[in-house]
Amino acid sequence: MNNFALPIRFGVAASGSLIAYFLVLSLFGLHVDVFYSLFNVVITGFAIYEAIKYYKLKRGTSFTYSGGFMAGLITGGVATLIFTLFFALYSTELQPGFLEELSTKWANNYRSFEAIVFLVVAVMGFTTSLVLTLAFMQLFKSSNTTKIKRD
C-alpha cells in the first residue's frame, strides 16, 4: 500500500481540480459545452506527470518503468473514478435536467442515455490516463543504449 500512497494522493488532487473546474464552468453556464472538457486532459496530464516525477525522485536508482507506469495509471484511474462518480451525482441529483441539456438528440433517442454518458466519461478518463502515462514514461525511463567508447 505504501507504493500506492503517492499516486492515490495525486489522483485525489487531480479529481478535486477536475471537479472545481467543472463547477466553475457551471457557474457561467459553460459546462454544457463539450469543448471545455478538453482542458480536463491538461489537468489530468499535469497530475500524472507530477506523480511519475515524484515517484521517480522517491525511488531514486530503484525506479523502474513498470513502477512509474503504475504510478501514472493509478493517478489517472483514481482521478477518473472520483470525477465520474461526482459527474453521475451532479447530473442525476444536483441538476437533473443537465444530461438532457447536454445532448437533446441522445436523450430523446436512447432509453439508457444516462448510463451511456457515464460510460463515455469514464472511458475518456481512463483512455486519457493510459495515453498520457505512456507518453510521459518516455521522458522518465532510463535508456538501455550502451555508450560507445571513442578513442
PDB file of all heavy atoms in Angstrom, residues 21-60:
ATOM      1  N   TYR A  21     -12.959  22.696 -11.592  1.00  0.00           N
ATOM      2  CA  TYR A  21     -13.040  23.257 -12.946  1.00  0.00           C
ATOM      3  C   TYR A  21     -14.457  23.115 -13.500  1.00  0.00           C
ATOM      4  O   TYR A  21     -15.010  24.053 -14.076  1.00  0.00           O
ATOM      5  CB  TYR A  21     -12.018  22.561 -13.846  1.00  0.00           C
ATOM      6  CG  TYR A  21     -12.093  22.956 -15.296  1.00  0.00           C
ATOM      7  CD1 TYR A  21     -11.811  24.264 -15.708  1.00  0.00           C
ATOM      8  CD2 TYR A  21     -12.422  22.027 -16.270  1.00  0.00           C
ATOM      9  CE1 TYR A  21     -11.875  24.627 -17.035  1.00  0.00           C
ATOM     10  CE2 TYR A  21     -12.492  22.380 -17.608  1.00  0.00           C
ATOM     11  CZ  TYR A  21     -12.213  23.685 -17.984  1.00  0.00           C
ATOM     12  OH  TYR A  21     -12.274  24.038 -19.307  1.00  0.00           O
ATOM     13  N   PHE A  22     -15.059  21.947 -13.306  1.00  0.00           N
ATOM     14  CA  PHE A  22     -16.418  21.707 -13.780  1.00  0.00           C
ATOM     15  C   PHE A  22     -17.413  22.649 -13.093  1.00  0.00           C
ATOM     16  O   PHE A  22     -18.299  23.214 -13.737  1.00  0.00           O
ATOM     17  CB  PHE A  22     -16.813  20.247 -13.529  1.00  0.00           C
ATOM     18  CG  PHE A  22     -18.186  19.906 -14.012  1.00  0.00           C
ATOM     19  CD1 PHE A  22     -18.406  19.592 -15.337  1.00  0.00           C
ATOM     20  CD2 PHE A  22     -19.267  19.891 -13.145  1.00  0.00           C
ATOM     21  CE1 PHE A  22     -19.671  19.274 -15.791  1.00  0.00           C
ATOM     22  CE2 PHE A  22     -20.537  19.580 -13.582  1.00  0.00           C
ATOM     23  CZ  PHE A  22     -20.739  19.268 -14.913  1.00  0.00           C
ATOM     24  N   LEU A  23     -17.261  22.828 -11.795  1.00  0.00           N
ATOM     25  CA  LEU A  23     -18.170  23.702 -11.054  1.00  0.00           C
ATOM     26  C   LEU A  23     -18.004  25.166 -11.446  1.00  0.00           C
ATOM     27  O   LEU A  23     -18.981  25.916 -11.508  1.00  0.00           O
ATOM     28  CB  LEU A  23     -17.990  23.512  -9.550  1.00  0.00           C
ATOM     29  CG  LEU A  23     -18.446  22.150  -9.007  1.00  0.00           C
ATOM     30  CD1 LEU A  23     -18.097  22.019  -7.530  1.00  0.00           C
ATOM     31  CD2 LEU A  23     -19.940  21.945  -9.242  1.00  0.00           C
ATOM     32  N   VAL A  24     -16.770  25.591 -11.721  1.00  0.00           N
ATOM     33  CA  VAL A  24     -16.550  26.960 -12.198  1.00  0.00           C
ATOM     34  C   VAL A  24     -17.222  27.145 -13.555  1.00  0.00           C
ATOM     35  O   VAL A  24     -17.869  28.171 -13.802  1.00  0.00           O
ATOM     36  CB  VAL A  24     -15.038  27.291 -12.266  1.00  0.00           C
ATOM     37  CG1 VAL A  24     -14.775  28.565 -13.046  1.00  0.00           C
ATOM     38  CG2 VAL A  24     -14.454  27.394 -10.868  1.00  0.00           C
ATOM     39  N   LEU A  25     -17.082  26.155 -14.438  1.00  0.00           N
ATOM     40  CA  LEU A  25     -17.761  26.228 -15.730  1.00  0.00           C
ATOM     41  C   LEU A  25     -19.277  26.300 -15.557  1.00  0.00           C
ATOM     42  O   LEU A  25     -19.958  27.030 -16.274  1.00  0.00           O
ATOM     43  CB  LEU A  25     -17.407  25.020 -16.601  1.00  0.00           C
ATOM     44  CG  LEU A  25     -16.012  24.981 -17.198  1.00  0.00           C
ATOM     45  CD1 LEU A  25     -15.800  23.679 -17.969  1.00  0.00           C
ATOM     46  CD2 LEU A  25     -15.768  26.172 -18.105  1.00  0.00           C
ATOM     47  N   SER A  26     -19.792  25.539 -14.585  1.00  0.00           N
ATOM     48  CA  SER A  26     -21.240  25.535 -14.374  1.00  0.00           C
ATOM     49  C   SER A  26     -21.744  26.886 -13.851  1.00  0.00           C
ATOM     50  O   SER A  26     -22.887  27.253 -14.106  1.00  0.00           O
ATOM     51  CB  SER A  26     -21.653  24.408 -13.429  1.00  0.00           C
ATOM     52  OG  SER A  26     -21.240  24.678 -12.115  1.00  0.00           O
ATOM     53  N   LEU A  27     -20.910  27.624 -13.127  1.00  0.00           N
ATOM     54  CA  LEU A  27     -21.298  28.960 -12.662  1.00  0.00           C
ATOM     55  C   LEU A  27     -21.587  29.896 -13.841  1.00  0.00           C
ATOM     56  O   LEU A  27     -22.446  30.772 -13.761  1.00  0.00           O
ATOM     57  CB  LEU A  27     -20.204  29.571 -11.793  1.00  0.00           C
ATOM     58  CG  LEU A  27     -20.033  29.001 -10.393  1.00  0.00           C
ATOM     59  CD1 LEU A  27     -18.821  29.635  -9.720  1.00  0.00           C
ATOM     60  CD2 LEU A  27     -21.280  29.232  -9.566  1.00  0.00           C
ATOM     61  N   PHE A  28     -20.846  29.697 -14.931  1.00  0.00           N
ATOM     62  CA  PHE A  28     -21.011  30.538 -16.109  1.00  0.00           C
ATOM     63  C   PHE A  28     -21.889  29.888 -17.181  1.00  0.00           C
ATOM     64  O   PHE A  28     -22.029  30.421 -18.274  1.00  0.00           O
ATOM     65  CB  PHE A  28     -19.641  30.881 -16.707  1.00  0.00           C
ATOM     66  CG  PHE A  28     -18.775  31.664 -15.770  1.00  0.00           C
ATOM     67  CD1 PHE A  28     -17.708  31.063 -15.129  1.00  0.00           C
ATOM     68  CD2 PHE A  28     -19.041  33.005 -15.503  1.00  0.00           C
ATOM     69  CE1 PHE A  28     -16.904  31.780 -14.255  1.00  0.00           C
ATOM     70  CE2 PHE A  28     -18.243  33.731 -14.637  1.00  0.00           C
ATOM     71  CZ  PHE A  28     -17.180  33.122 -14.009  1.00  0.00           C
ATOM     72  N   GLY A  29     -22.446  28.718 -16.875  1.00  0.00           N
ATOM     73  CA  GLY A  29     -23.300  28.014 -17.829  1.00  0.00           C
ATOM     74  C   GLY A  29     -22.542  27.386 -18.985  1.00  0.00           C
ATOM     75  O   GLY A  29     -23.126  27.039 -20.009  1.00  0.00           O
ATOM     76  N   LEU A  30     -21.239  27.210 -18.836  1.00  0.00           N
ATOM     77  CA  LEU A  30     -20.412  26.662 -19.911  1.00  0.00           C
ATOM     78  C   LEU A  30     -20.207  25.154 -19.789  1.00  0.00           C
ATOM     79  O   LEU A  30     -19.573  24.546 -20.653  1.00  0.00           O
ATOM     80  CB  LEU A  30     -19.049  27.367 -19.926  1.00  0.00           C
ATOM     81  CG  LEU A  30     -19.091  28.877 -20.165  1.00  0.00           C
ATOM     82  CD1 LEU A  30     -17.714  29.483 -19.987  1.00  0.00           C
ATOM     83  CD2 LEU A  30     -19.653  29.176 -21.541  1.00  0.00           C
ATOM     84  N   HIS A  31     -20.714  24.540 -18.745  1.00  0.00           N
ATOM     85  CA  HIS A  31     -20.497  23.114 -18.525  1.00  0.00           C
ATOM     86  C   HIS A  31     -21.252  22.240 -19.514  1.00  0.00           C
ATOM     87  O   HIS A  31     -20.983  21.049 -19.618  1.00  0.00           O
ATOM     88  CB  HIS A  31     -20.834  22.734 -17.090  1.00  0.00           C
ATOM     89  CG  HIS A  31     -22.264  22.943 -16.722  1.00  0.00           C
ATOM     90  ND1 HIS A  31     -22.916  24.128 -16.915  1.00  0.00           N
ATOM     91  CD2 HIS A  31     -23.168  22.113 -16.163  1.00  0.00           C
ATOM     92  CE1 HIS A  31     -24.154  24.031 -16.499  1.00  0.00           C
ATOM     93  NE2 HIS A  31     -24.337  22.802 -16.032  1.00  0.00           N
ATOM     94  N   VAL A  32     -22.179  22.797 -20.261  1.00  0.00           N
ATOM     95  CA  VAL A  32     -22.904  22.023 -21.272  1.00  0.00           C
ATOM     96  C   VAL A  32     -22.166  22.015 -22.602  1.00  0.00           C
ATOM     97  O   VAL A  32     -22.530  21.273 -23.509  1.00  0.00           O
ATOM     98  CB  VAL A  32     -24.343  22.549 -21.476  1.00  0.00           C
ATOM     99  CG1 VAL A  32     -25.169  22.307 -20.224  1.00  0.00           C
ATOM    100  CG2 VAL A  32     -24.353  24.007 -21.859  1.00  0.00           C
ATOM    101  N   ASP A  33     -21.122  22.839 -22.739  1.00  0.00           N
ATOM    102  CA  ASP A  33     -20.318  22.858 -23.959  1.00  0.00           C
ATOM    103  C   ASP A  33     -19.180  21.850 -23.819  1.00  0.00           C
ATOM    104  O   ASP A  33     -18.284  22.025 -22.993  1.00  0.00           O
ATOM    105  CB  ASP A  33     -19.762  24.267 -24.188  1.00  0.00           C
ATOM    106  CG  ASP A  33     -19.139  24.447 -25.554  1.00  0.00           C
ATOM    107  OD1 ASP A  33     -18.977  23.447 -26.281  1.00  0.00           O
ATOM    108  OD2 ASP A  33     -18.820  25.600 -25.900  1.00  0.00           O
ATOM    109  N   VAL A  34     -19.220  20.815 -24.645  1.00  0.00           N
ATOM    110  CA  VAL A  34     -18.254  19.721 -24.543  1.00  0.00           C
ATOM    111  C   VAL A  34     -16.837  20.199 -24.851  1.00  0.00           C
ATOM    112  O   VAL A  34     -15.865  19.617 -24.382  1.00  0.00           O
ATOM    113  CB  VAL A  34     -18.660  18.563 -25.490  1.00  0.00           C
ATOM    114  CG1 VAL A  34     -17.694  17.410 -25.416  1.00  0.00           C
ATOM    115  CG2 VAL A  34     -20.064  18.097 -25.164  1.00  0.00           C
ATOM    116  N   PHE A  35     -16.697  21.263 -25.588  1.00  0.00           N
ATOM    117  CA  PHE A  35     -15.383  21.796 -25.944  1.00  0.00           C
ATOM    118  C   PHE A  35     -14.530  22.083 -24.705  1.00  0.00           C
ATOM    119  O   PHE A  35     -13.329  21.853 -24.707  1.00  0.00           O
ATOM    120  CB  PHE A  35     -15.543  23.068 -26.782  1.00  0.00           C
ATOM    121  CG  PHE A  35     -14.256  23.756 -27.098  1.00  0.00           C
ATOM    122  CD1 PHE A  35     -13.395  23.243 -28.058  1.00  0.00           C
ATOM    123  CD2 PHE A  35     -13.894  24.913 -26.431  1.00  0.00           C
ATOM    124  CE1 PHE A  35     -12.194  23.864 -28.342  1.00  0.00           C
ATOM    125  CE2 PHE A  35     -12.697  25.553 -26.712  1.00  0.00           C
ATOM    126  CZ  PHE A  35     -11.847  25.038 -27.678  1.00  0.00           C
ATOM    127  N   TYR A  36     -15.144  22.563 -23.658  1.00  0.00           N
ATOM    128  CA  TYR A  36     -14.401  22.928 -22.451  1.00  0.00           C
ATOM    129  C   TYR A  36     -13.855  21.713 -21.699  1.00  0.00           C
ATOM    130  O   TYR A  36     -12.965  21.839 -20.866  1.00  0.00           O
ATOM    131  CB  TYR A  36     -15.259  23.780 -21.517  1.00  0.00           C
ATOM    132  CG  TYR A  36     -15.500  25.158 -22.071  1.00  0.00           C
ATOM    133  CD1 TYR A  36     -16.718  25.492 -22.631  1.00  0.00           C
ATOM    134  CD2 TYR A  36     -14.497  26.114 -22.049  1.00  0.00           C
ATOM    135  CE1 TYR A  36     -16.941  26.760 -23.154  1.00  0.00           C
ATOM    136  CE2 TYR A  36     -14.699  27.380 -22.567  1.00  0.00           C
ATOM    137  CZ  TYR A  36     -15.926  27.696 -23.122  1.00  0.00           C
ATOM    138  OH  TYR A  36     -16.136  28.946 -23.645  1.00  0.00           O
ATOM    139  N   SER A  37     -14.368  20.538 -21.997  1.00  0.00           N
ATOM    140  CA  SER A  37     -13.849  19.337 -21.332  1.00  0.00           C
ATOM    141  C   SER A  37     -12.462  18.961 -21.835  1.00  0.00           C
ATOM    142  O   SER A  37     -11.795  18.108 -21.243  1.00  0.00           O
ATOM    143  CB  SER A  37     -14.810  18.162 -21.507  1.00  0.00           C
ATOM    144  OG  SER A  37     -14.837  17.743 -22.851  1.00  0.00           O
ATOM    145  N   LEU A  38     -12.004  19.580 -22.917  1.00  0.00           N
ATOM    146  CA  LEU A  38     -10.647  19.311 -23.402  1.00  0.00           C
ATOM    147  C   LEU A  38      -9.592  19.734 -22.385  1.00  0.00           C
ATOM    148  O   LEU A  38      -8.509  19.161 -22.340  1.00  0.00           O
ATOM    149  CB  LEU A  38     -10.406  20.018 -24.736  1.00  0.00           C
ATOM    150  CG  LEU A  38     -11.201  19.496 -25.921  1.00  0.00           C
ATOM    151  CD1 LEU A  38     -10.952  20.353 -27.151  1.00  0.00           C
ATOM    152  CD2 LEU A  38     -10.859  18.048 -26.199  1.00  0.00           C
ATOM    153  N   PHE A  39      -9.911  20.725 -21.563  1.00  0.00           N
ATOM    154  CA  PHE A  39      -8.956  21.158 -20.533  1.00  0.00           C
ATOM    155  C   PHE A  39      -8.774  20.091 -19.451  1.00  0.00           C
ATOM    156  O   PHE A  39      -7.777  20.112 -18.729  1.00  0.00           O
ATOM    157  CB  PHE A  39      -9.390  22.494 -19.923  1.00  0.00           C
ATOM    158  CG  PHE A  39      -8.328  23.141 -19.091  1.00  0.00           C
ATOM    159  CD1 PHE A  39      -7.179  23.660 -19.671  1.00  0.00           C
ATOM    160  CD2 PHE A  39      -8.457  23.214 -17.716  1.00  0.00           C
ATOM    161  CE1 PHE A  39      -6.193  24.244 -18.906  1.00  0.00           C
ATOM    162  CE2 PHE A  39      -7.474  23.801 -16.930  1.00  0.00           C
ATOM    163  CZ  PHE A  39      -6.338  24.319 -17.535  1.00  0.00           C
ATOM    164  N   ASN A  40      -9.714  19.148 -19.360  1.00  0.00           N
ATOM    165  CA  ASN A  40      -9.560  18.046 -18.409  1.00  0.00           C
ATOM    166  C   ASN A  40      -8.293  17.252 -18.691  1.00  0.00           C
ATOM    167  O   ASN A  40      -7.669  16.718 -17.775  1.00  0.00           O
ATOM    168  CB  ASN A  40     -10.771  17.117 -18.464  1.00  0.00           C
ATOM    169  CG  ASN A  40     -12.021  17.767 -17.922  1.00  0.00           C
ATOM    170  OD1 ASN A  40     -11.991  18.880 -17.432  1.00  0.00           O
ATOM    171  ND2 ASN A  40     -13.134  17.058 -18.015  1.00  0.00           N
ATOM    172  N   VAL A  41      -7.915  17.165 -19.968  1.00  0.00           N
ATOM    173  CA  VAL A  41      -6.688  16.459 -20.342  1.00  0.00           C
ATOM    174  C   VAL A  41      -5.476  17.157 -19.736  1.00  0.00           C
ATOM    175  O   VAL A  41      -4.555  16.496 -19.258  1.00  0.00           O
ATOM    176  CB  VAL A  41      -6.560  16.360 -21.878  1.00  0.00           C
ATOM    177  CG1 VAL A  41      -5.233  15.764 -22.291  1.00  0.00           C
ATOM    178  CG2 VAL A  41      -7.712  15.575 -22.467  1.00  0.00           C
ATOM    179  N   VAL A  42      -5.482  18.468 -19.741  1.00  0.00           N
ATOM    180  CA  VAL A  42      -4.366  19.236 -19.171  1.00  0.00           C
ATOM    181  C   VAL A  42      -4.277  18.991 -17.665  1.00  0.00           C
ATOM    182  O   VAL A  42      -3.188  18.745 -17.125  1.00  0.00           O
ATOM    183  CB  VAL A  42      -4.525  20.738 -19.475  1.00  0.00           C
ATOM    184  CG1 VAL A  42      -3.454  21.565 -18.783  1.00  0.00           C
ATOM    185  CG2 VAL A  42      -4.503  20.983 -20.974  1.00  0.00           C
ATOM    186  N   ILE A  43      -5.413  19.023 -16.998  1.00  0.00           N
ATOM    187  CA  ILE A  43      -5.434  18.812 -15.541  1.00  0.00           C
ATOM    188  C   ILE A  43      -4.959  17.405 -15.203  1.00  0.00           C
ATOM    189  O   ILE A  43      -4.077  17.217 -14.354  1.00  0.00           O
ATOM    190  CB  ILE A  43      -6.850  19.067 -14.977  1.00  0.00           C
ATOM    191  CG1 ILE A  43      -7.241  20.533 -15.149  1.00  0.00           C
ATOM    192  CG2 ILE A  43      -6.933  18.657 -13.509  1.00  0.00           C
ATOM    193  CD1 ILE A  43      -8.699  20.832 -14.855  1.00  0.00           C
ATOM    194  N   THR A  44      -5.518  16.415 -15.878  1.00  0.00           N
ATOM    195  CA  THR A  44      -5.132  15.023 -15.623  1.00  0.00           C
ATOM    196  C   THR A  44      -3.678  14.782 -16.008  1.00  0.00           C
ATOM    197  O   THR A  44      -2.936  14.109 -15.289  1.00  0.00           O
ATOM    198  CB  THR A  44      -6.053  14.063 -16.398  1.00  0.00           C
ATOM    199  OG1 THR A  44      -7.415  14.359 -16.081  1.00  0.00           O
ATOM    200  CG2 THR A  44      -5.765  12.620 -16.053  1.00  0.00           C
ATOM    201  N   GLY A  45      -3.276  15.329 -17.136  1.00  0.00           N
ATOM    202  CA  GLY A  45      -1.893  15.159 -17.593  1.00  0.00           C
ATOM    203  C   GLY A  45      -0.885  15.735 -16.624  1.00  0.00           C
ATOM    204  O   GLY A  45       0.161  15.135 -16.359  1.00  0.00           O
ATOM    205  N   PHE A  46      -1.180  16.897 -16.084  1.00  0.00           N
ATOM    206  CA  PHE A  46      -0.277  17.512 -15.111  1.00  0.00           C
ATOM    207  C   PHE A  46      -0.132  16.637 -13.876  1.00  0.00           C
ATOM    208  O   PHE A  46       0.973  16.428 -13.368  1.00  0.00           O
ATOM    209  CB  PHE A  46      -0.767  18.914 -14.731  1.00  0.00           C
ATOM    210  CG  PHE A  46       0.097  19.606 -13.728  1.00  0.00           C
ATOM    211  CD1 PHE A  46       1.334  20.109 -14.093  1.00  0.00           C
ATOM    212  CD2 PHE A  46      -0.311  19.740 -12.414  1.00  0.00           C
ATOM    213  CE1 PHE A  46       2.148  20.745 -13.168  1.00  0.00           C
ATOM    214  CE2 PHE A  46       0.485  20.375 -11.470  1.00  0.00           C
ATOM    215  CZ  PHE A  46       1.723  20.879 -11.851  1.00  0.00           C
ATOM    216  N   ALA A  47      -1.249  16.105 -13.401  1.00  0.00           N
ATOM    217  CA  ALA A  47      -1.209  15.249 -12.213  1.00  0.00           C
ATOM    218  C   ALA A  47      -0.422  13.972 -12.479  1.00  0.00           C
ATOM    219  O   ALA A  47       0.371  13.536 -11.635  1.00  0.00           O
ATOM    220  CB  ALA A  47      -2.632  14.913 -11.759  1.00  0.00           C
ATOM    221  N   ILE A  48      -0.623  13.366 -13.637  1.00  0.00           N
ATOM    222  CA  ILE A  48       0.106  12.136 -13.970  1.00  0.00           C
ATOM    223  C   ILE A  48       1.601  12.419 -14.088  1.00  0.00           C
ATOM    224  O   ILE A  48       2.434  11.670 -13.573  1.00  0.00           O
ATOM    225  CB  ILE A  48      -0.452  11.510 -15.262  1.00  0.00           C
ATOM    226  CG1 ILE A  48      -1.853  10.954 -15.008  1.00  0.00           C
ATOM    227  CG2 ILE A  48       0.469  10.425 -15.797  1.00  0.00           C
ATOM    228  CD1 ILE A  48      -2.574  10.495 -16.252  1.00  0.00           C
ATOM    229  N   TYR A  49       1.948  13.502 -14.766  1.00  0.00           N
ATOM    230  CA  TYR A  49       3.355  13.873 -14.920  1.00  0.00           C
ATOM    231  C   TYR A  49       4.019  14.083 -13.558  1.00  0.00           C
ATOM    232  O   TYR A  49       5.109  13.571 -13.297  1.00  0.00           O
ATOM    233  CB  TYR A  49       3.464  15.143 -15.767  1.00  0.00           C
ATOM    234  CG  TYR A  49       4.876  15.643 -15.931  1.00  0.00           C
ATOM    235  CD1 TYR A  49       5.710  15.108 -16.904  1.00  0.00           C
ATOM    236  CD2 TYR A  49       5.388  16.641 -15.107  1.00  0.00           C
ATOM    237  CE1 TYR A  49       7.012  15.549 -17.048  1.00  0.00           C
ATOM    238  CE2 TYR A  49       6.676  17.102 -15.245  1.00  0.00           C
ATOM    239  CZ  TYR A  49       7.487  16.554 -16.220  1.00  0.00           C
ATOM    240  OH  TYR A  49       8.776  16.995 -16.353  1.00  0.00           O
ATOM    241  N   GLU A  50       3.357  14.838 -12.709  1.00  0.00           N
ATOM    242  CA  GLU A  50       3.920  15.109 -11.384  1.00  0.00           C
ATOM    243  C   GLU A  50       4.011  13.838 -10.541  1.00  0.00           C
ATOM    244  O   GLU A  50       4.976  13.653  -9.794  1.00  0.00           O
ATOM    245  CB  GLU A  50       3.104  16.178 -10.660  1.00  0.00           C
ATOM    246  CG  GLU A  50       3.244  17.562 -11.265  1.00  0.00           C
ATOM    247  CD  GLU A  50       4.652  18.115 -11.144  1.00  0.00           C
ATOM    248  OE1 GLU A  50       5.257  18.011 -10.062  1.00  0.00           O
ATOM    249  OE2 GLU A  50       5.150  18.657 -12.148  1.00  0.00           O
ATOM    250  N   ALA A  51       3.022  12.962 -10.650  1.00  0.00           N
ATOM    251  CA  ALA A  51       3.057  11.719  -9.876  1.00  0.00           C
ATOM    252  C   ALA A  51       4.240  10.855 -10.297  1.00  0.00           C
ATOM    253  O   ALA A  51       4.954  10.304  -9.451  1.00  0.00           O
ATOM    254  CB  ALA A  51       1.754  10.946 -10.060  1.00  0.00           C
ATOM    255  N   ILE A  52       4.463  10.744 -11.603  1.00  0.00           N
ATOM    256  CA  ILE A  52       5.593   9.945 -12.088  1.00  0.00           C
ATOM    257  C   ILE A  52       6.908  10.599 -11.686  1.00  0.00           C
ATOM    258  O   ILE A  52       7.849   9.923 -11.254  1.00  0.00           O
ATOM    259  CB  ILE A  52       5.516   9.747 -13.613  1.00  0.00           C
ATOM    260  CG1 ILE A  52       4.283   8.924 -13.984  1.00  0.00           C
ATOM    261  CG2 ILE A  52       6.774   9.061 -14.136  1.00  0.00           C
ATOM    262  CD1 ILE A  52       4.009   8.855 -15.477  1.00  0.00           C
ATOM    263  N   LYS A  53       6.977  11.926 -11.785  1.00  0.00           N
ATOM    264  CA  LYS A  53       8.204  12.644 -11.432  1.00  0.00           C
ATOM    265  C   LYS A  53       8.547  12.438  -9.954  1.00  0.00           C
ATOM    266  O   LYS A  53       9.689  12.107  -9.609  1.00  0.00           O
ATOM    267  CB  LYS A  53       8.047  14.130 -11.738  1.00  0.00           C
ATOM    268  CG  LYS A  53       9.300  14.941 -11.453  1.00  0.00           C
ATOM    269  CD  LYS A  53       9.151  16.378 -11.894  1.00  0.00           C
ATOM    270  CE  LYS A  53       8.484  17.172 -10.796  1.00  0.00           C
ATOM    271  NZ  LYS A  53       8.450  18.619 -11.081  1.00  0.00           N
ATOM    272  N   TYR A  54       7.564  12.620  -9.077  1.00  0.00           N
ATOM    273  CA  TYR A  54       7.830  12.452  -7.647  1.00  0.00           C
ATOM    274  C   TYR A  54       8.081  10.987  -7.289  1.00  0.00           C
ATOM    275  O   TYR A  54       8.863  10.699  -6.382  1.00  0.00           O
ATOM    276  CB  TYR A  54       6.695  13.034  -6.808  1.00  0.00           C
ATOM    277  CG  TYR A  54       6.796  14.522  -6.683  1.00  0.00           C
ATOM    278  CD1 TYR A  54       5.995  15.357  -7.452  1.00  0.00           C
ATOM    279  CD2 TYR A  54       7.712  15.109  -5.818  1.00  0.00           C
ATOM    280  CE1 TYR A  54       6.105  16.728  -7.366  1.00  0.00           C
ATOM    281  CE2 TYR A  54       7.824  16.482  -5.706  1.00  0.00           C
ATOM    282  CZ  TYR A  54       7.018  17.287  -6.491  1.00  0.00           C
ATOM    283  OH  TYR A  54       7.129  18.646  -6.399  1.00  0.00           O
ATOM    284  N   TYR A  55       7.428  10.080  -7.992  1.00  0.00           N
ATOM    285  CA  TYR A  55       7.681   8.666  -7.750  1.00  0.00           C
ATOM    286  C   TYR A  55       9.125   8.325  -8.115  1.00  0.00           C
ATOM    287  O   TYR A  55       9.802   7.596  -7.393  1.00  0.00           O
ATOM    288  CB  TYR A  55       6.707   7.808  -8.571  1.00  0.00           C
ATOM    289  CG  TYR A  55       6.852   6.330  -8.320  1.00  0.00           C
ATOM    290  CD1 TYR A  55       6.316   5.746  -7.177  1.00  0.00           C
ATOM    291  CD2 TYR A  55       7.522   5.518  -9.217  1.00  0.00           C
ATOM    292  CE1 TYR A  55       6.455   4.393  -6.934  1.00  0.00           C
ATOM    293  CE2 TYR A  55       7.663   4.166  -8.990  1.00  0.00           C
ATOM    294  CZ  TYR A  55       7.122   3.606  -7.850  1.00  0.00           C
ATOM    295  OH  TYR A  55       7.273   2.264  -7.623  1.00  0.00           O
ATOM    296  N   LYS A  56       9.604   8.892  -9.219  1.00  0.00           N
ATOM    297  CA  LYS A  56      10.995   8.649  -9.625  1.00  0.00           C
ATOM    298  C   LYS A  56      11.965   9.249  -8.612  1.00  0.00           C
ATOM    299  O   LYS A  56      12.977   8.634  -8.273  1.00  0.00           O
ATOM    300  CB  LYS A  56      11.256   9.218 -11.011  1.00  0.00           C
ATOM    301  CG  LYS A  56      12.652   8.925 -11.513  1.00  0.00           C
ATOM    302  CD  LYS A  56      12.866   9.364 -12.939  1.00  0.00           C
ATOM    303  CE  LYS A  56      14.271   8.956 -13.371  1.00  0.00           C
ATOM    304  NZ  LYS A  56      14.524   9.263 -14.767  1.00  0.00           N
ATOM    305  N   LEU A  57      11.662  10.458  -8.130  1.00  0.00           N
ATOM    306  CA  LEU A  57      12.526  11.074  -7.114  1.00  0.00           C
ATOM    307  C   LEU A  57      12.549  10.251  -5.831  1.00  0.00           C
ATOM    308  O   LEU A  57      13.592  10.099  -5.190  1.00  0.00           O
ATOM    309  CB  LEU A  57      12.050  12.490  -6.803  1.00  0.00           C
ATOM    310  CG  LEU A  57      12.300  13.547  -7.863  1.00  0.00           C
ATOM    311  CD1 LEU A  57      11.607  14.856  -7.497  1.00  0.00           C
ATOM    312  CD2 LEU A  57      13.787  13.770  -8.051  1.00  0.00           C
ATOM    313  N   LYS A  58      11.398   9.719  -5.460  1.00  0.00           N
ATOM    314  CA  LYS A  58      11.298   8.926  -4.235  1.00  0.00           C
ATOM    315  C   LYS A  58      12.056   7.606  -4.362  1.00  0.00           C
ATOM    316  O   LYS A  58      12.728   7.178  -3.430  1.00  0.00           O
ATOM    317  CB  LYS A  58       9.829   8.661  -3.927  1.00  0.00           C
ATOM    318  CG  LYS A  58       9.589   7.870  -2.670  1.00  0.00           C
ATOM    319  CD  LYS A  58       8.104   7.645  -2.462  1.00  0.00           C
ATOM    320  CE  LYS A  58       7.864   6.743  -1.275  1.00  0.00           C
ATOM    321  NZ  LYS A  58       6.462   6.381  -1.137  1.00  0.00           N
ATOM    322  N   ARG A  59      11.952   6.967  -5.507  1.00  0.00           N
ATOM    323  CA  ARG A  59      12.587   5.661  -5.701  1.00  0.00           C
ATOM    324  C   ARG A  59      14.069   5.759  -6.036  1.00  0.00           C
ATOM    325  O   ARG A  59      14.813   4.825  -5.785  1.00  0.00           O
ATOM    326  CB  ARG A  59      11.867   4.887  -6.802  1.00  0.00           C
ATOM    327  CG  ARG A  59      10.392   4.622  -6.541  1.00  0.00           C
ATOM    328  CD  ARG A  59      10.169   3.737  -5.383  1.00  0.00           C
ATOM    329  NE  ARG A  59      10.614   2.407  -5.732  1.00  0.00           N
ATOM    330  CZ  ARG A  59      10.492   1.349  -4.985  1.00  0.00           C
ATOM    331  NH1 ARG A  59       9.932   1.468  -3.809  1.00  0.00           N
ATOM    332  NH2 ARG A  59      10.928   0.177  -5.370  1.00  0.00           N
ATOM    333  N   GLY A  60      14.483   6.851  -6.610  1.00  0.00           N
ATOM    334  CA  GLY A  60      15.896   7.038  -6.946  1.00  0.00           C
ATOM    335  C   GLY A  60      16.368   6.038  -7.981  1.00  0.00           C
ATOM    336  O   GLY A  60      15.755   5.859  -9.028  1.00  0.00           O
TER     337      GLY A  60
END
